[in-house]
Amino acid sequence: MDTLAIVIPFVPVLSAAIIFLFLRNRKGTAARLSVLATLLTFLLSLSLLGDYITSQVARVEWIGQIWGSIWLDPLALIMWTFVSGISLLVHMYSVRYMVEEPNYPRFFALLDLMTATIFFMVSAADLITLLVAWFLVGVFLYFLLGHDTDRSASGRYAFWTQITYRFGDLPLWLAAFILFKAYHSLSLPVIFAQVAAAPNAVQLWGMPVPAWVGILIAISAFARSAQFLLHGWLPYTMDGPTPVSALMHAGIVNAGGFLFNRFAPIFEYTSLALHIAFVVGLITAVLGSALMLIQNDIKRSLGYSTMGQMGFMVMECGLGAFPLAVFHLIAHGFFKASLFLGAGNAIGEARAADGVPPDPVYVSVVERRPNKPSRLPLITAAALTILVPVLVLSLSHFFVASHLFFEQGVIILLFFAWVTGAQALFATHKMTHSNPWQVMGGILGSFVLVVIGYTLISHYFGNFLYPEHGASKRLFASASIGVLSYDVLVIILALLFVGGWALTFFADARDWGQHLSEKWHGTYVALYALLTRELYLNDFFVRMTQVLFAASRRLNVWFRWS
Amino acid sequence: MEWIVLLISAVLLPIFPLSLIFNRLVATAPGPWGRALALLVLPQLGILLLYHTGPFLPLPVLGQRIWLMMVLFTAVFYAFRAVSAREISVWSRLSASSGLTLTWLLVASGSPVHLTQLFVLAWSVPAALLMIWAGLLSQRMGGAYLGLRGGLATELPRLSGLITVTALALVATPVFPGFFAMLQVFHLLSLSWLWPLLLLLMIWGWSIGKFLQDLLFGIYQGEPLTDIGGTVTSVGAGVLFLFALFGLVWSGLWIGN
């Protein structure tokens, strides 16, 4: 097993080397080799994960003497299996999807190299390996996104991704050197052990080292996971080939969540970074969801949906629910991959549809929908909407993880889950149906199943990822704030959500839409323009680049290019 | 005498404003091979001069601090200027100046001569190779300007591939030696002095992004071109592979120190 662990990341590297050297003109063989190599990688990763589940022993394997180490802990093994699984899906999909594209073998070689690099990134046990892999992910992604070199736009948007990634690389560099200079070791397990032994022993510029490192790691994760202010590149990655979009949105963009979890032993001793992560994640989640709603392109809409999901993932980290973030990124990865890989078909079906406007007679006779729909009584619906999610969520969480039940992060997460559940039930109530009890019953049943399943899975998954007793509690404690601030925050959030619901309800029930649209037309248009222009952030960055570029050219002219 | 040695060394291991002379020397060397040779030889001469005539820095503490600031300024300044360079040999020269100036940090730290020489090669070798690739491109297009006739990735896949990988090596992309050389520079400086190096990495990222965008993307509009042959491609790829291998092997020693 020891040798096997070192061999696994090199399997896709070997496949890429063979394709580059010998199979550049043999498309079919190159694709088959690449798929086989990824399948082998997936199966080997699965066997290593199985080996860990039976032995429960994490270990570090060394390829080099000073750097080049692989940490076979639950996080790395889960990520290996997840990444190779997603990569296998993308490889298999690409075999037919990309067959008409030029440079077909090169595409598979690059996919292999990307898979290998992510393997090294998620299992790096030392700072240098982590930095090398973190950097290389940006490089390979650039070439994958810019696969179609005939289109200038794909180059431009690949550059946007690359430059944002580079911006995110820098805090990680600085964090790595702060850790190295403070603890005199490159090894992550050694550094984490030293931090755990004396968290505040080493100070830097008036703050403990874990505080600085936490903030820098968080910024690095923000760039990679498209958090607010560093999100402009994500929707434009759609200009790359669809399989790359799938790999990007299902796997690579989740690197932020991984980074939080890898450095969880640091975050156990720093609160500030987690609070920042919560705020940034929350803003990103709201903004991503808002931007998603106004898109008229399915892929762009999925891109902003990813942004919103990444916001939720970072928010979970900010609340101290680190394992939940990993569970979230895996679940999101699989469903987003399937959505992206199906996006092409959806577009095809939309084009094939006749687009005939709905007709009441047609709807009633042919589609057999009720022509006299009805709803549940308002009081009954309101009671179900508000009470059922509270009961289901609280009880399921209380029985599964009672020791964490009163942690602030857990309560906030339950609050958001309640909001989501209530929103789903409210939306169900608004749907008209001949038998509303049947619909509501079905939705409630699904809701109970999903909540219990999710709670159980996330609980056992958390225990698997953080087997050390007390790690989860320390992370939740680190994410906590003062009782007064916490109460104020919860009240503000509750008022915001309840106010939003009330506004939506009354606007719908009393037909305020017409009145509001007349009175606030200017504001509405301005807000719409702001969102459609993506808050003018990309325009700002482009303009800034143009100004700096002109300055660079002027300097060159002054100094006569010497 | 020490001052004269220092000034000549500041020309050969370029520090602004004497870096202007270094760039002029490289630019006026005859042909691409001459420019490649100049990039390989001139910095090595600078090192020999410094190490064999020492003491390295006949400066008071304040002077050394100013010298350090000038080194970091030169690195950032030349990287920034490379962003708008569209001619491959100019881009290569400016980017190389940006990296080569960092050698002074090793010299000041008392690094052994052989390590300093290897450090210089991390920037000299890719810059010299780019000069040769620029020469091959000039033979075909009449000049090595990028962004004028659209993407070369389709028209000259082999040559543009070599240019791409070499340019990445020049801006400290892993696993090439420049990346590990940068790690060593980071290790030498105190944390308070790292921000110019972070800025440098950022500008290099921008610079290579613009460079590749102009080199690779778009539809080529011009006379049909003949790509380089298989032998040249194999030799070029082999040199780059060995260069990367050299970086991996030596990285342990650099980091270990």
PDB file of all heavy atoms in Angstrom, chain A residues 407-435:
ATOM      1  N   GLU A 407     -24.121  24.865  19.851  1.00  0.00           N
ATOM      2  CA  GLU A 407     -23.044  25.689  19.299  1.00  0.00           C
ATOM      3  C   GLU A 407     -23.660  26.746  18.378  1.00  0.00           C
ATOM      4  O   GLU A 407     -24.624  26.461  17.650  1.00  0.00           O
ATOM      5  CB  GLU A 407     -22.070  24.828  18.482  1.00  0.00           C
ATOM      6  CG  GLU A 407     -21.297  23.801  19.295  1.00  0.00           C
ATOM      7  CD  GLU A 407     -20.311  24.424  20.258  1.00  0.00           C
ATOM      8  OE1 GLU A 407     -19.990  25.621  20.077  1.00  0.00           O
ATOM      9  OE2 GLU A 407     -19.874  23.744  21.201  1.00  0.00           O
ATOM     10  N   GLN A 408     -23.079  27.960  18.412  1.00  0.00           N
ATOM     11  CA  GLN A 408     -23.637  29.057  17.609  1.00  0.00           C
ATOM     12  C   GLN A 408     -23.709  28.708  16.126  1.00  0.00           C
ATOM     13  O   GLN A 408     -24.704  28.967  15.446  1.00  0.00           O
ATOM     14  CB  GLN A 408     -22.779  30.310  17.790  1.00  0.00           C
ATOM     15  CG  GLN A 408     -22.958  30.962  19.142  1.00  0.00           C
ATOM     16  CD  GLN A 408     -22.127  32.230  19.269  1.00  0.00           C
ATOM     17  OE1 GLN A 408     -21.466  32.661  18.330  1.00  0.00           O
ATOM     18  NE2 GLN A 408     -22.151  32.820  20.446  1.00  0.00           N
ATOM     19  N   GLY A 409     -22.609  28.112  15.614  1.00  0.00           N
ATOM     20  CA  GLY A 409     -22.544  27.777  14.191  1.00  0.00           C
ATOM     21  C   GLY A 409     -23.658  26.829  13.798  1.00  0.00           C
ATOM     22  O   GLY A 409     -24.285  26.966  12.737  1.00  0.00           O
ATOM     23  N   VAL A 410     -23.933  25.860  14.680  1.00  0.00           N
ATOM     24  CA  VAL A 410     -24.978  24.884  14.386  1.00  0.00           C
ATOM     25  C   VAL A 410     -26.341  25.571  14.343  1.00  0.00           C
ATOM     26  O   VAL A 410     -27.162  25.318  13.451  1.00  0.00           O
ATOM     27  CB  VAL A 410     -24.971  23.767  15.458  1.00  0.00           C
ATOM     28  CG1 VAL A 410     -26.163  22.842  15.283  1.00  0.00           C
ATOM     29  CG2 VAL A 410     -23.682  22.975  15.361  1.00  0.00           C
ATOM     30  N   ILE A 411     -26.568  26.469  15.296  1.00  0.00           N
ATOM     31  CA  ILE A 411     -27.868  27.155  15.341  1.00  0.00           C
ATOM     32  C   ILE A 411     -28.065  27.998  14.075  1.00  0.00           C
ATOM     33  O   ILE A 411     -29.143  28.003  13.476  1.00  0.00           O
ATOM     34  CB  ILE A 411     -27.979  28.019  16.617  1.00  0.00           C
ATOM     35  CG1 ILE A 411     -27.980  27.084  17.842  1.00  0.00           C
ATOM     36  CG2 ILE A 411     -29.239  28.858  16.602  1.00  0.00           C
ATOM     37  CD1 ILE A 411     -27.868  27.781  19.163  1.00  0.00           C
ATOM     38  N   ILE A 412     -26.998  28.696  13.669  1.00  0.00           N
ATOM     39  CA  ILE A 412     -27.110  29.512  12.442  1.00  0.00           C
ATOM     40  C   ILE A 412     -27.383  28.606  11.237  1.00  0.00           C
ATOM     41  O   ILE A 412     -28.213  28.920  10.373  1.00  0.00           O
ATOM     42  CB  ILE A 412     -25.811  30.319  12.214  1.00  0.00           C
ATOM     43  CG1 ILE A 412     -25.634  31.386  13.290  1.00  0.00           C
ATOM     44  CG2 ILE A 412     -25.771  30.930  10.833  1.00  0.00           C
ATOM     45  CD1 ILE A 412     -26.390  32.656  13.040  1.00  0.00           C
ATOM     46  N   LEU A 413     -26.673  27.487  11.177  1.00  0.00           N
ATOM     47  CA  LEU A 413     -26.895  26.565  10.057  1.00  0.00           C
ATOM     48  C   LEU A 413     -28.325  26.045  10.062  1.00  0.00           C
ATOM     49  O   LEU A 413     -28.977  25.959   9.019  1.00  0.00           O
ATOM     50  CB  LEU A 413     -25.913  25.388  10.150  1.00  0.00           C
ATOM     51  CG  LEU A 413     -24.506  25.666   9.640  1.00  0.00           C
ATOM     52  CD1 LEU A 413     -23.588  24.516   9.993  1.00  0.00           C
ATOM     53  CD2 LEU A 413     -24.508  25.881   8.138  1.00  0.00           C
ATOM     54  N   LEU A 414     -28.816  25.709  11.256  1.00  0.00           N
ATOM     55  CA  LEU A 414     -30.203  25.247  11.361  1.00  0.00           C
ATOM     56  C   LEU A 414     -31.169  26.348  10.947  1.00  0.00           C
ATOM     57  O   LEU A 414     -32.197  26.088  10.316  1.00  0.00           O
ATOM     58  CB  LEU A 414     -30.503  24.796  12.797  1.00  0.00           C
ATOM     59  CG  LEU A 414     -29.848  23.477  13.220  1.00  0.00           C
ATOM     60  CD1 LEU A 414     -30.104  23.204  14.688  1.00  0.00           C
ATOM     61  CD2 LEU A 414     -30.387  22.328  12.379  1.00  0.00           C
ATOM     62  N   PHE A 415     -30.807  27.579  11.308  1.00  0.00           N
ATOM     63  CA  PHE A 415     -31.641  28.717  10.934  1.00  0.00           C
ATOM     64  C   PHE A 415     -31.746  28.818   9.401  1.00  0.00           C
ATOM     65  O   PHE A 415     -32.831  28.956   8.846  1.00  0.00           O
ATOM     66  CB  PHE A 415     -31.039  30.001  11.521  1.00  0.00           C
ATOM     67  CG  PHE A 415     -31.774  31.246  11.137  1.00  0.00           C
ATOM     68  CD1 PHE A 415     -32.965  31.595  11.768  1.00  0.00           C
ATOM     69  CD2 PHE A 415     -31.285  32.078  10.137  1.00  0.00           C
ATOM     70  CE1 PHE A 415     -33.641  32.747  11.398  1.00  0.00           C
ATOM     71  CE2 PHE A 415     -31.953  33.221   9.772  1.00  0.00           C
ATOM     72  CZ  PHE A 415     -33.134  33.565  10.410  1.00  0.00           C
ATOM     73  N   PHE A 416     -30.587  28.697   8.737  1.00  0.00           N
ATOM     74  CA  PHE A 416     -30.594  28.791   7.274  1.00  0.00           C
ATOM     75  C   PHE A 416     -31.337  27.598   6.667  1.00  0.00           C
ATOM     76  O   PHE A 416     -32.045  27.730   5.674  1.00  0.00           O
ATOM     77  CB  PHE A 416     -29.174  28.874   6.725  1.00  0.00           C
ATOM     78  CG  PHE A 416     -28.667  30.274   6.673  1.00  0.00           C
ATOM     79  CD1 PHE A 416     -27.945  30.806   7.725  1.00  0.00           C
ATOM     80  CD2 PHE A 416     -28.933  31.086   5.588  1.00  0.00           C
ATOM     81  CE1 PHE A 416     -27.497  32.113   7.696  1.00  0.00           C
ATOM     82  CE2 PHE A 416     -28.487  32.392   5.550  1.00  0.00           C
ATOM     83  CZ  PHE A 416     -27.771  32.909   6.608  1.00  0.00           C
ATOM     84  N   ALA A 417     -31.176  26.442   7.278  1.00  0.00           N
ATOM     85  CA  ALA A 417     -31.884  25.265   6.777  1.00  0.00           C
ATOM     86  C   ALA A 417     -33.396  25.460   6.949  1.00  0.00           C
ATOM     87  O   ALA A 417     -34.188  25.085   6.077  1.00  0.00           O
ATOM     88  CB  ALA A 417     -31.418  24.025   7.528  1.00  0.00           C
ATOM     89  N   TRP A 418     -33.784  26.058   8.076  1.00  0.00           N
ATOM     90  CA  TRP A 418     -35.203  26.337   8.310  1.00  0.00           C
ATOM     91  C   TRP A 418     -35.742  27.298   7.241  1.00  0.00           C
ATOM     92  O   TRP A 418     -36.807  27.082   6.666  1.00  0.00           O
ATOM     93  CB  TRP A 418     -35.387  26.926   9.718  1.00  0.00           C
ATOM     94  CG  TRP A 418     -36.753  27.499   9.946  1.00  0.00           C
ATOM     95  CD1 TRP A 418     -37.916  26.807  10.025  1.00  0.00           C
ATOM     96  CD2 TRP A 418     -37.086  28.883  10.097  1.00  0.00           C
ATOM     97  NE1 TRP A 418     -38.965  27.663  10.215  1.00  0.00           N
ATOM     98  CE2 TRP A 418     -38.487  28.954  10.259  1.00  0.00           C
ATOM     99  CE3 TRP A 418     -36.351  30.068  10.120  1.00  0.00           C
ATOM    100  CZ2 TRP A 418     -39.163  30.157  10.438  1.00  0.00           C
ATOM    101  CZ3 TRP A 418     -37.014  31.260  10.297  1.00  0.00           C
ATOM    102  CH2 TRP A 418     -38.403  31.304  10.450  1.00  0.00           C
ATOM    103  N   VAL A 419     -34.956  28.354   6.980  1.00  0.00           N
ATOM    104  CA  VAL A 419     -35.372  29.329   5.961  1.00  0.00           C
ATOM    105  C   VAL A 419     -35.564  28.626   4.622  1.00  0.00           C
ATOM    106  O   VAL A 419     -36.567  28.822   3.927  1.00  0.00           O
ATOM    107  CB  VAL A 419     -34.322  30.457   5.836  1.00  0.00           C
ATOM    108  CG1 VAL A 419     -34.584  31.294   4.597  1.00  0.00           C
ATOM    109  CG2 VAL A 419     -34.332  31.325   7.075  1.00  0.00           C
ATOM    110  N   THR A 420     -34.595  27.765   4.274  1.00  0.00           N
ATOM    111  CA  THR A 420     -34.666  27.071   2.991  1.00  0.00           C
ATOM    112  C   THR A 420     -35.889  26.153   2.944  1.00  0.00           C
ATOM    113  O   THR A 420     -36.630  26.123   1.954  1.00  0.00           O
ATOM    114  CB  THR A 420     -33.386  26.237   2.771  1.00  0.00           C
ATOM    115  OG1 THR A 420     -32.276  27.055   3.114  1.00  0.00           O
ATOM    116  CG2 THR A 420     -33.257  25.761   1.352  1.00  0.00           C
ATOM    117  N   GLY A 421     -36.082  25.401   4.037  1.00  0.00           N
ATOM    118  CA  GLY A 421     -37.213  24.482   4.083  1.00  0.00           C
ATOM    119  C   GLY A 421     -38.529  25.228   4.004  1.00  0.00           C
ATOM    120  O   GLY A 421     -39.437  24.845   3.256  1.00  0.00           O
ATOM    121  N   ALA A 422     -38.634  26.302   4.775  1.00  0.00           N
ATOM    122  CA  ALA A 422     -39.869  27.084   4.775  1.00  0.00           C
ATOM    123  C   ALA A 422     -40.119  27.679   3.397  1.00  0.00           C
ATOM    124  O   ALA A 422     -41.256  27.719   2.913  1.00  0.00           O
ATOM    125  CB  ALA A 422     -39.769  28.185   5.823  1.00  0.00           C
ATOM    126  N   GLN A 423     -39.032  28.123   2.759  1.00  0.00           N
ATOM    127  CA  GLN A 423     -39.152  28.699   1.408  1.00  0.00           C
ATOM    128  C   GLN A 423     -39.699  27.650   0.435  1.00  0.00           C
ATOM    129  O   GLN A 423     -40.576  27.943  -0.385  1.00  0.00           O
ATOM    130  CB  GLN A 423     -37.763  29.178   0.956  1.00  0.00           C
ATOM    131  CG  GLN A 423     -37.728  29.921  -0.361  1.00  0.00           C
ATOM    132  CD  GLN A 423     -38.335  31.308  -0.239  1.00  0.00           C
ATOM    133  OE1 GLN A 423     -38.064  32.005   0.738  1.00  0.00           O
ATOM    134  NE2 GLN A 423     -39.156  31.673  -1.187  1.00  0.00           N
ATOM    135  N   ALA A 424     -39.188  26.416   0.568  1.00  0.00           N
ATOM    136  CA  ALA A 424     -39.651  25.341  -0.326  1.00  0.00           C
ATOM    137  C   ALA A 424     -41.136  25.065  -0.100  1.00  0.00           C
ATOM    138  O   ALA A 424     -41.904  24.907  -1.053  1.00  0.00           O
ATOM    139  CB  ALA A 424     -38.833  24.077  -0.082  1.00  0.00           C
ATOM    140  N   LEU A 425     -41.542  25.030   1.175  1.00  0.00           N
ATOM    141  CA  LEU A 425     -42.944  24.753   1.468  1.00  0.00           C
ATOM    142  C   LEU A 425     -43.844  25.906   1.024  1.00  0.00           C
ATOM    143  O   LEU A 425     -44.958  25.696   0.534  1.00  0.00           O
ATOM    144  CB  LEU A 425     -43.120  24.498   2.968  1.00  0.00           C
ATOM    145  CG  LEU A 425     -42.426  23.231   3.497  1.00  0.00           C
ATOM    146  CD1 LEU A 425     -42.651  23.082   4.981  1.00  0.00           C
ATOM    147  CD2 LEU A 425     -42.953  22.000   2.777  1.00  0.00           C
ATOM    148  N   PHE A 426     -43.346  27.118   1.209  1.00  0.00           N
ATOM    149  CA  PHE A 426     -44.101  28.294   0.785  1.00  0.00           C
ATOM    150  C   PHE A 426     -44.304  28.283  -0.728  1.00  0.00           C
ATOM    151  O   PHE A 426     -45.400  28.554  -1.238  1.00  0.00           O
ATOM    152  CB  PHE A 426     -43.360  29.557   1.236  1.00  0.00           C
ATOM    153  CG  PHE A 426     -44.090  30.833   0.928  1.00  0.00           C
ATOM    154  CD1 PHE A 426     -45.343  31.085   1.478  1.00  0.00           C
ATOM    155  CD2 PHE A 426     -43.531  31.787   0.100  1.00  0.00           C
ATOM    156  CE1 PHE A 426     -46.014  32.264   1.197  1.00  0.00           C
ATOM    157  CE2 PHE A 426     -44.191  32.969  -0.188  1.00  0.00           C
ATOM    158  CZ  PHE A 426     -45.440  33.205   0.360  1.00  0.00           C
ATOM    159  N   ALA A 427     -43.227  27.926  -1.432  1.00  0.00           N
ATOM    160  CA  ALA A 427     -43.323  27.856  -2.902  1.00  0.00           C
ATOM    161  C   ALA A 427     -44.308  26.773  -3.307  1.00  0.00           C
ATOM    162  O   ALA A 427     -45.070  26.926  -4.278  1.00  0.00           O
ATOM    163  CB  ALA A 427     -41.954  27.573  -3.496  1.00  0.00           C
ATOM    164  N   THR A 428     -44.322  25.683  -2.546  1.00  0.00           N
ATOM    165  CA  THR A 428     -45.270  24.602  -2.841  1.00  0.00           C
ATOM    166  C   THR A 428     -46.703  25.083  -2.639  1.00  0.00           C
ATOM    167  O   THR A 428     -47.597  24.761  -3.433  1.00  0.00           O
ATOM    168  CB  THR A 428     -45.008  23.401  -1.906  1.00  0.00           C
ATOM    169  OG1 THR A 428     -43.631  23.088  -1.979  1.00  0.00           O
ATOM    170  CG2 THR A 428     -45.836  22.194  -2.306  1.00  0.00           C
ATOM    171  N   HIS A 429     -46.899  25.851  -1.580  1.00  0.00           N
ATOM    172  CA  HIS A 429     -48.243  26.367  -1.315  1.00  0.00           C
ATOM    173  C   HIS A 429     -48.732  27.259  -2.456  1.00  0.00           C
ATOM    174  O   HIS A 429     -49.913  27.240  -2.814  1.00  0.00           O
ATOM    175  CB  HIS A 429     -48.237  27.147   0.002  1.00  0.00           C
ATOM    176  CG  HIS A 429     -49.469  27.971   0.203  1.00  0.00           C
ATOM    177  ND1 HIS A 429     -50.715  27.402   0.362  1.00  0.00           N
ATOM    178  CD2 HIS A 429     -49.655  29.319   0.237  1.00  0.00           C
ATOM    179  CE1 HIS A 429     -51.607  28.359   0.492  1.00  0.00           C
ATOM    180  NE2 HIS A 429     -50.994  29.537   0.426  1.00  0.00           N
ATOM    181  N   LYS A 430     -47.797  28.011  -3.041  1.00  0.00           N
ATOM    182  CA  LYS A 430     -48.187  28.926  -4.121  1.00  0.00           C
ATOM    183  C   LYS A 430     -48.574  28.179  -5.395  1.00  0.00           C
ATOM    184  O   LYS A 430     -49.245  28.707  -6.264  1.00  0.00           O
ATOM    185  CB  LYS A 430     -47.049  29.909  -4.423  1.00  0.00           C
ATOM    186  CG  LYS A 430     -46.930  30.986  -3.334  1.00  0.00           C
ATOM    187  CD  LYS A 430     -45.739  31.888  -3.568  1.00  0.00           C
ATOM    188  CE  LYS A 430     -45.976  32.806  -4.740  1.00  0.00           C
ATOM    189  NZ  LYS A 430     -44.824  33.694  -4.964  1.00  0.00           N
ATOM    190  N   MET A 431     -48.085  26.906  -5.520  1.00  0.00           N
ATOM    191  CA  MET A 431     -48.453  26.115  -6.697  1.00  0.00           C
ATOM    192  C   MET A 431     -49.918  25.702  -6.577  1.00  0.00           C
ATOM    193  O   MET A 431     -50.354  25.291  -5.506  1.00  0.00           O
ATOM    194  CB  MET A 431     -47.591  24.845  -6.776  1.00  0.00           C
ATOM    195  CG  MET A 431     -46.160  25.097  -7.146  1.00  0.00           C
ATOM    196  SD  MET A 431     -45.151  23.647  -6.829  1.00  0.00           S
ATOM    197  CE  MET A 431     -45.894  22.464  -7.910  1.00  0.00           C
ATOM    198  N   THR A 432     -50.626  25.807  -7.649  1.00  0.00           N
ATOM    199  CA  THR A 432     -52.035  25.391  -7.595  1.00  0.00           C
ATOM    200  C   THR A 432     -52.145  23.944  -8.061  1.00  0.00           C
ATOM    201  O   THR A 432     -51.436  23.521  -8.982  1.00  0.00           O
ATOM    202  CB  THR A 432     -52.889  26.289  -8.488  1.00  0.00           C
ATOM    203  OG1 THR A 432     -52.281  26.334  -9.765  1.00  0.00           O
ATOM    204  CG2 THR A 432     -53.009  27.677  -7.908  1.00  0.00           C
ATOM    205  N   HIS A 433     -53.014  23.216  -7.415  1.00  0.00           N
ATOM    206  CA  HIS A 433     -53.155  21.799  -7.758  1.00  0.00           C
ATOM    207  C   HIS A 433     -54.557  21.341  -7.356  1.00  0.00           C
ATOM    208  O   HIS A 433     -55.158  21.887  -6.420  1.00  0.00           O
ATOM    209  CB  HIS A 433     -52.099  20.972  -7.007  1.00  0.00           C
ATOM    210  CG  HIS A 433     -51.881  19.624  -7.609  1.00  0.00           C
ATOM    211  ND1 HIS A 433     -52.660  18.548  -7.287  1.00  0.00           N
ATOM    212  CD2 HIS A 433     -50.977  19.188  -8.517  1.00  0.00           C
ATOM    213  CE1 HIS A 433     -52.240  17.491  -7.971  1.00  0.00           C
ATOM    214  NE2 HIS A 433     -51.220  17.855  -8.734  1.00  0.00           N
ATOM    215  N   SER A 434     -55.073  20.305  -8.059  1.00  0.00           N
ATOM    216  CA  SER A 434     -56.425  19.836  -7.727  1.00  0.00           C
ATOM    217  C   SER A 434     -56.442  19.189  -6.347  1.00  0.00           C
ATOM    218  O   SER A 434     -57.456  19.201  -5.672  1.00  0.00           O
ATOM    219  CB  SER A 434     -56.911  18.848  -8.789  1.00  0.00           C
ATOM    220  OG  SER A 434     -55.985  17.789  -8.879  1.00  0.00           O
ATOM    221  N   ASN A 435     -55.317  18.620  -5.902  1.00  0.00           N
ATOM    222  CA  ASN A 435     -55.267  18.008  -4.578  1.00  0.00           C
ATOM    223  C   ASN A 435     -54.065  18.579  -3.815  1.00  0.00           C
ATOM    224  O   ASN A 435     -52.987  17.967  -3.783  1.00  0.00           O
ATOM    225  CB  ASN A 435     -55.154  16.479  -4.696  1.00  0.00           C
ATOM    226  CG  ASN A 435     -55.281  15.817  -3.339  1.00  0.00           C
ATOM    227  OD1 ASN A 435     -55.303  16.487  -2.304  1.00  0.00           O
ATOM    228  ND2 ASN A 435     -55.381  14.496  -3.341  1.00  0.00           N
TER     229      ASN A 435
END
